[in-house]
Amino acid sequence: MGMKKIILIVDDEPANIEIMVEALKKDGYELLVAANGREALELAGRRLKPDLILLDVMMPGMDGFEVCRRLKEDPTVQDIPVIFVTALTDAAREARGLKLGAVDYICKPCSLEIMAARVRTQLELREHQTDLERLVAERTAELKDLNKRLMAEVEARKLAEMGLAEGEQRLREVLDNLPGVGVYRMDEHGSVLWMNQELIRMLGYESKAMEEFEPGLLELPPDFGLDLADTVGLSPRGGDEQAQDVRIRCGDGCYRVFACTNVSRRVGIPGWINWGVAVDVTGLKEVEEELRKAHGLLEQRVAERTRELSQTNEMLQREVGERRKVERALQREKEFIDSVLATSHDGIAVVTPSGETPFVSPGMERLFGYTASELNGLDSWIKLLTPEGASSHEVKKMVFDALNVSGPMERTFRFRHGSGEMRYCSLHVSRMQNGHLVVNGHDVTEIRAAQERIRYMALHDPLTGLPNRQLFADRIEHAFRLAKRNNSMLGLLYVDLDRFKAMNDTHGHAFGDAVLCEAGRLLSANSRESDTVARIGGDEFVLLLQDLESSDQALLVAKRVVEGLNQPGGAGSVYLLGASVGVAIHPRDGESPQTLLQAADRAMYQAKGMGGNCYWPLS
């Protein structure tokens, strides 16, 4: 069983830490927790380092970006994958995190299952990458050693070829005058017919005797030819080769030993000619005794060397076995990666600098709803990712930027799926060492839809669907900036439903909710498209009126609101309600959103003090 994976969680909010711990502990990880950047750096630098770091961005003192930068500058921890988990959703911060070396960027709130799945994916990728890097390093070393041996063999072969060429030229000279090799010719009776100059020299005669050599005139050692004939055993057997050591007395009276080799050739009827080669081996014979003495020691050394070679052979056999295991492991790893690519929800593709797509994974085909052949070539990608009526500049710029920079790039695109449905995808583009681009695609349609729903719920009243206090605050701030820039007038109506609490207590909350929805509908119907209607409390509403030409316009809207709640079929006539409306005008009643809202609130209470079901001021 393998060691537990260690995950370091860095967040200054205990609630966030508790949520992430709860989501990850079921996978059996060993979880470390740091409340700030300094603690995170200390835990990451310990001897047993974490396998992955979940890092918040907004932290007091040292933020997550600075922690990531320091981690990536430290050679001892720079390979630990970092995933940012943050509520900051803008693309600039996400791009900054990825540029610093993070492998992923998760925006909160997010699905805990998705976060756990991304953590598992990154841990598996890191484990596979580590194994592959180790196997590649071993294979690279083997290939370098093999290349070195091949280069040495090639060099030796070149030298041999050069020597052969030179030898062909020298052979012609050697045939005329072979140094150290005597050549002779005899008849079948042992009479010497011819010998070369070197043999005459070896026998102890002057070199010019060769030039004057005639059979019978040159005084050879007594019975030279007969000694050869008797010792070698010449016989008329055409083509037979006979070799023997012959002891001959030379011209200086000393005996020397020659190694003679004869070949018989028939030269007609009745005789045979014997060609022979003689080499002075006297010196060799003198060392034979030394060789015999060394033979025993050599045999001992050969035995030792044989044992060493046997051990080396066993080691090589084991190494070959291990190498085969590695090759099988590599094959299994390839099959595993192929299986992962085939079943992965995400898509992967490779794009060459010339715009070709030599590889498109099945996940990429499912992502876009097109086959690999339909996704072939950069032009088809640009056409696919460019919405109708839009420019392809952004898609082209992303591709060419990725070709010219070393770091990864990521963009989200809206595209038309092969089924005709409009969807969103996130493309992560990084550059390989060979200049090709790796494109990783992920379908973010559901994520974007969930984000939009969350954003809408955060800014709207769940009962009436109107903007809530937070969205109203943003709208009034924006309206004030426009009014000051355009020197225009704003109107604010503060609406409070009369006798709502008594009605709600009498008829129940469901009845009260229906009244609030009807009141919200009426207020929206009496406002312009550019105005904002918001519910900011239980039975309190506000209307923000922009670009007023006079304060009378705001009073007319207030009058319509009061009358609308009492008209036949309206909320007031059905539910016996009225409304107290306070009116405030910028810049007359307030120079800021807060003071204007306070003025409208005071006016509303003034209307309620007059018995309700009216607005204030009246003019």
Side-chain angles (χ1 to χ4, degrees):
M1 187 173 181
M3 295 179 61
K4 284 185 175 181
K5 298 298 183 182
I6 302 174
I7 298 179
L8 173 57
I9 301 175
V10 186
D11 200 309
D12 62 329
E13 291 292 339
N16 294 339
I17 293 176
E18 183 178 352
I19 291 173
M20 287 188 281
V21 169
E22 186 67 24
L24 296 174
K25 69 179 183 180
K26 62 183 179 181
D27 289 330
Y29 303 128
E30 180 180 341
L31 303 176
L32 304 178
V33 175
N36 54 58
R38 191 169 301 280
E39 289 183 12
L41 293 175
E42 291 176 357
L43 289 175
R46 67 176 194 166
R47 184 179 64 84
L48 192 57
K49 295 178 171 53
D51 298 285
L52 185 139
I53 299 175
L54 293 175
L55 180 59
D56 188 20
V57 174
M58 300 301 294
M59 296 186 294
M62 186 188 306
D63 65 7
F65 292 140
E66 179 61 19
V67 174
C68 184
R69 185 188 68 78
R70 295 193 184 186
L71 287 172
K72 295 306 176 183
E73 287 181 351
D74 187 347
T76 63
V77 298
Q78 61 183 195
D79 292 331
I80 301 176
V82 176
I83 299 178
F84 281 112
V85 183
T86 177
L88 301 176
T89 61
D90 58 290
R93 285 190 172 91
E94 183 175 351
R96 180 184 176 188
L98 296 174
K99 185 175 182 180
L100 287 171
V103 297
D104 205 347
Y105 193 99
I106 302 176
C107 297
K108 297 184 292 187
C110 70
S111 169
L112 298 180
E113 289 78 6
I114 291 177
M115 182 183 71
R118 290 190 181 182
V119 168
R120 287 193 298 272
T121 298
Q122 291 300 331
L123 289 174
E124 291 174 0
L125 287 175
R126 188 189 185 208
E127 184 176 353
H128 298 328
Q129 182 179 3
T130 302
D131 293 341
L132 285 175
E133 289 175 351
R134 175 178 58 78
L135 294 174
V136 168
E138 294 175 357
R139 186 59 177 164
T140 301
E142 294 171 3
L143 292 175
K144 286 183 178 179
D145 183 62
L146 178 60
N147 183 63
K148 183 178 180 181
R149 293 199 300 270
L150 289 175
M151 292 300 293
E153 182 178 344
V154 169
E155 187 65 25
R157 184 170 296 178
K158 288 181 179 179
L159 293 175
E161 292 174 354
M162 293 174 60
L164 181 61
E166 295 174 358
E168 291 178 355
Q169 178 63 28
R170 293 178 181 176
L171 181 59
R172 298 183 179 90
E173 302 174 359
V174 170
L175 291 176
D176 294 332
N177 190 7
L178 296 173
V181 178
V183 181
Y184 58 88
R185 186 175 62 180
M186 297 190 303
D187 61 17
E188 58 184 305
H189 303 293
S191 299
V192 177
L193 303 176
W194 174 86
M195 65 177 60
N196 69 347
Q197 180 179 346
E198 185 66 14
L199 179 55
I200 295 174
R201 184 193 64 77
M202 290 189 296
L203 292 173
Y205 295 92
E206 295 181 359
S207 59
K208 71 174 186 176
M210 175 61 185
E211 301 173 1
E212 302 171 354
F213 174 77
E214 290 183 15
L217 298 180
L218 180 63
E219 294 184 2
L220 294 175
D223 299 329
F224 170 77
L226 294 178
D227 287 343
L228 285 174
D230 293 342
T231 304
V232 177
L234 295 179
S235 61
R237 293 177 297 176
D240 287 351
E241 180 179 299
Q242 298 136 356
Q244 187 67 38
D245 292 342
V246 181
R247 187 169 179 266
I248 299 175
R249 184 163 61 86
C250 297
D252 57 2
C254 298
Y255 284 89
R256 303 189 68 80
V257 179
F258 292 84
C260 298
T261 301
N262 294 300
V263 177
S264 298
R265 290 288 185 271
R266 190 177 185 88
V267 294
I269 300 174
W272 295 76
I273 293 295
N274 296 279
W275 285 93
V277 176
V279 179
D280 188 348
V281 294
T282 305
L284 294 177
K285 294 297 181 180
E286 292 175 353
V287 300
E288 281 184 355
E289 185 62 27
E290 296 295 331
L291 291 175
R292 280 192 293 270
K293 292 179 182 179
H295 182 69
L297 180 60
L298 180 60
E299 287 185 344
Q300 180 181 352
R301 291 179 179 177
V302 168
E304 293 175 355
R305 184 57 178 164
T306 301
R307 286 194 297 271
E308 292 175 0
L309 291 175
S310 178
Q311 294 172 356
T312 302
N313 183 60
E314 292 177 0
M315 293 175 61
L316 289 174
Q317 291 295 331
R318 289 195 296 270
E319 183 179 347
V320 169
E322 291 297 325
R323 185 174 298 177
R324 289 175 179 171
K325 290 180 181 179
V326 170
E327 290 175 352
R328 289 193 293 270
L330 286 173
Q331 180 62 29
R332 290 194 298 269
E333 186 71 20
K334 180 181 180 300
E335 294 173 355
F336 174 78
I337 292 175
D338 291 342
S339 175
V340 170
L341 291 176
T343 58
S344 174
H345 180 70
D346 290 351
I348 298 178
V350 176
V351 181
T352 66
S354 61
E356 299 176 352
T357 51
F359 175 77
V360 177
S361 74
M364 192 67 83
E365 294 179 333
R366 291 191 295 270
L367 174 63
F368 291 114
Y370 295 95
T371 64
S373 60
E374 292 173 319
L375 293 173
N376 184 31
L378 182 59
D379 291 339
S380 64
W381 284 72
I382 293 176
K383 181 179 180 181
L384 173 65
L385 295 177
T386 302
E388 295 179 3
S391 171
S392 62
H393 174 71
E394 182 180 358
V395 182
K396 291 182 178 179
K397 184 176 186 301
M398 178 185 179
V399 174
F400 289 116
D401 286 350
L403 286 170
N404 296 323
V405 300
S406 58
M409 302 184 67
E410 186 166 2
R411 296 284 191 280
T412 298
F413 296 96
R414 183 171 182 262
F415 69 98
R416 186 176 297 279
H417 190 266
S419 63
E421 179 186 3
M422 296 305 298
R423 301 187 66 84
Y424 290 88
C425 71
S426 175
L427 293 186
H428 183 278
V429 182
S430 56
R431 186 177 182 183
M432 302 171 65
Q433 291 183 350
N434 62 359
H436 292 182
L437 297 179
V438 176
V439 182
N440 185 287
H442 179 68
D443 192 324
V444 295
T445 305
E446 299 301 328
I447 295 176
R448 285 183 66 94
Q451 290 173 344
E452 290 298 328
R453 288 194 297 271
I454 293 171
R455 184 178 297 109
Y456 181 86
M457 292 170 63
L459 297 176
H460 290 78
D461 175 41
L463 178 62
T464 64
L466 296 175
N468 60 12
R469 183 181 293 272
Q470 180 179 350
L471 181 55
F472 172 73
D474 181 72
R475 296 272 181 89
I476 195 172
E477 287 284 352
H478 180 69
F480 259 80
R481 288 193 294 270
L482 289 177
K484 290 180 180 180
R485 183 166 64 244
N486 300 330
N487 194 24
S488 60
M489 187 181 301
L490 295 177
L492 182 63
L493 275 60
Y494 201 116
V495 181
D496 183 82
L497 302 181
D498 297 333
R499 298 179 299 280
F500 176 78
K501 184 177 185 305
M503 181 277 300
N504 194 51
D505 293 340
T506 301
H507 298 285
H509 293 296
F511 190 82
D513 289 346
V515 171
L516 292 173
C517 290
E518 177 64 18
R521 185 197 65 77
L522 177 65
L523 293 174
S524 297
N526 284 279
S527 63
R528 299 170 302 177
E529 186 176 351
S530 60
D531 298 334
T532 297
V533 181
R535 181 188 177 202
I536 61 173
D539 60 347
E540 296 178 343
F541 297 84
V542 290
L543 279 78
L544 177 61
L545 311 176
Q546 301 186 61
D547 296 326
L548 297 179
E549 296 179 0
S550 68
S551 60
D552 292 340
Q553 289 181 280
L555 296 178
L556 288 175
V557 174
K559 181 180 179 181
R560 288 201 304 269
V561 168
V562 173
E563 292 174 349
L565 288 170
N566 289 279
Q567 65 183 357
S573 62
V574 175
Y575 306 122
L576 303 178
L577 288 177
S580 298
V581 181
V583 182
I585 303 298
H586 165 77
R588 183 190 69 190
D589 299 320
E591 289 290 339
S592 68
Q594 186 64 30
T595 57
L596 189 63
L597 188 62
Q598 291 172 354
D601 185 49
R602 289 194 299 270
M604 182 273 294
Y605 278 104
Q606 186 72 22
K608 191 173 285 289
M610 296 171 61
N613 201 26
C614 65
Y615 59 92
W616 182 265
L618 298 177
S619 62

